[in-house]
Amino acid sequence: MKRISLLLFAFLLFTSSTSAKEVYVALGDSLAAGQTPYSEIDSGYADLIALQLTKYGQLTAYTKELAFPGYAVDDVLERVKSEPAQAVLANATLITVSAGANDLLPLVSYNPKAGSLSYSQMTANFALNKARQDFTELLKVLKEKAPNAQIYVMGYYFPYIHVHETQKAGVADQLQLLNTILKSVAVEAGAQFVEVAQDFDKNSVNYLPNATDIHPNMAGYLVMANAFLNEYAGSATYQMTLAELPKPNPKSFEELLGLQSSNDSGAEAEVVDEVAIAKPLQEYIGLYGYKKWHNLFGKKILS
C-alpha cells in the first residue's frame, strides 16, 4: 500500500478504544489473503478472526496487506524485511503466519480429471528442508521486527480431496511432515502452532467445492479461524458459528487491480485508503501488491 495507509494504520492505534487490545497483522500466502475457490478474494480466516476479536472488544487494528497469494516462506521473509512492513510490524501485538504450502505443493502434479497425484520424493525432501530453514529465519526476524507480538503459525489441511483414495497417501504424508516441521520450528521459537487439519479434514468435502482449486470456501476458513480462536483463548469462548459468517463479498483480481490503480492515482489515494479502513471488517480488502498478483494471473497460483 501507499504510505498513507500506514499512517492511517498508525493513527488507528492511538484513536481506537482503550478496551481493545490487539493490533493484528496477518502474514503469508493466499490463505492469509482470503482467496476463494474461484480465484477471488473475500473474507478469509484472518478476517473472521478480526471480526471475532472485535466482537469481544479485543481488537485495536487489523491488516492483511502483507499477505499475498503464491508466497513461499522466503517470499514472506522478504516482505517482513521490507521497508513498508516495518511500521506495521513494530506495532503488532498479534501475528498469524500461513507459509510453507507453496514450497511443497508446486512440486505436486495434480490431474483433477484423472483424479491422480504424483511428486518426486527427493525434490520434496529438498523443498521441506528449505522451508524449515526459511521458517526458522522468518520467526527470528519477526521476533526482532515485532517484539511485542505473540506469533501463531497456522497449519495446513489436505487439499486434494477429489483424487482417488489410492492417490492420496503420499502427498498427505508430505503435508503432515510440513505441519510437523512448522510445529517444531514454532515451538522452538516460542510461537504457537495452530492445528488445522484435524477438524478441517473431517469434513473437507464441504469446504473445498472446486475440484480444480485447493482453496476453501468461507465455511472452510471458519474452521481455520476457530482453530486459532480456540488456541488463542484456551477455550471455545470466542468461537464463531456458521450463522455469524459475513455475507460473501468476493472481489475479482480485475476489481482489486482497479482499486490499486485508484490508490496509485495520487489525488484519489487518500479517499480510497480511508474507505478501505473505514469499511466494516467483513468488507475489508487489502490493496497492497495486486500489480504483482496481476502478473501472476492466468498461472496456477497455489495457497
Side-chain angles (χ1 to χ4, degrees), residues 27 48 65 85 89 121 140 224 233 242 249 269 292 297-298 301:
L27 302 173
L48 301 182
E65 67 182 273
L89 293 173
Q121 185 64 63
K140 178 183 177 182
M224 299 180 69
L242 284 169
N249 185 31
K292 180 178 178 183
F297 187 59
I301 301 176

Side-chain angles (χ1 to χ4, degrees), residues 14-140:
F14 297 100
T15 57
S16 299
S17 167
T18 56
S19 64
K21 297 190 300 184
E22 301 288 12
V23 178
Y24 174 30
V25 178
L27 302 173
D29 52 31
S30 57
L31 296 183
Q35 186 167 332
T36 75
Y38 305 102
S39 299
E40 298 171 313
I41 290 291
D42 203 347
S43 294
Y45 76 78
D47 304 278
L48 301 182
I49 290 169
L51 281 171
Q52 287 302 88
L53 294 181
T54 298
K55 175 181 176 180
Y56 288 96
Q58 296 296 306
L59 191 69
T60 295
Y62 159 64
T63 181
K64 61 179 181 181
E65 67 182 273
L66 302 180
F68 190 78
Y71 269 4
V73 181
D74 58 358
D75 295 310
V76 181
L77 179 58
E78 182 180 352
R79 280 297 287 133
V80 302
K81 288 181 177 180
S82 68
E83 190 278 332
Q86 303 315 301
V88 175
L89 293 173
N91 290 301
T93 65
L94 173 63
I95 293 174
T96 56
V97 187
S98 284
N102 284 313
D103 293 75
L104 176 65
L105 298 188
L107 307 177
V108 176
S109 177
Y110 172 40
N111 186 332
K113 290 185 178 180
S116 63
L117 291 173
S118 62
Y119 71 100
S120 163
Q121 185 64 63
M122 181 177 295
T123 307
N125 290 343
F126 279 112
L128 289 170
N129 186 56
K130 183 176 187 303
R132 181 196 298 273
Q133 294 172 346
D134 289 342
F135 218 106
T136 300
E137 178 66 13
L138 172 61
L139 293 183
K140 178 183 177 182

Side-chain angles (χ1 to χ4, degrees), residues 218-239:
M218 204 181 299
Y221 279 122
L222 174 62
V223 174
M224 299 180 69
N226 279 338
F228 164 83
L229 291 165
N230 189 68
E231 187 74 26
Y232 174 81
S235 70
T237 302
Y238 290 174
Q239 297 284 285

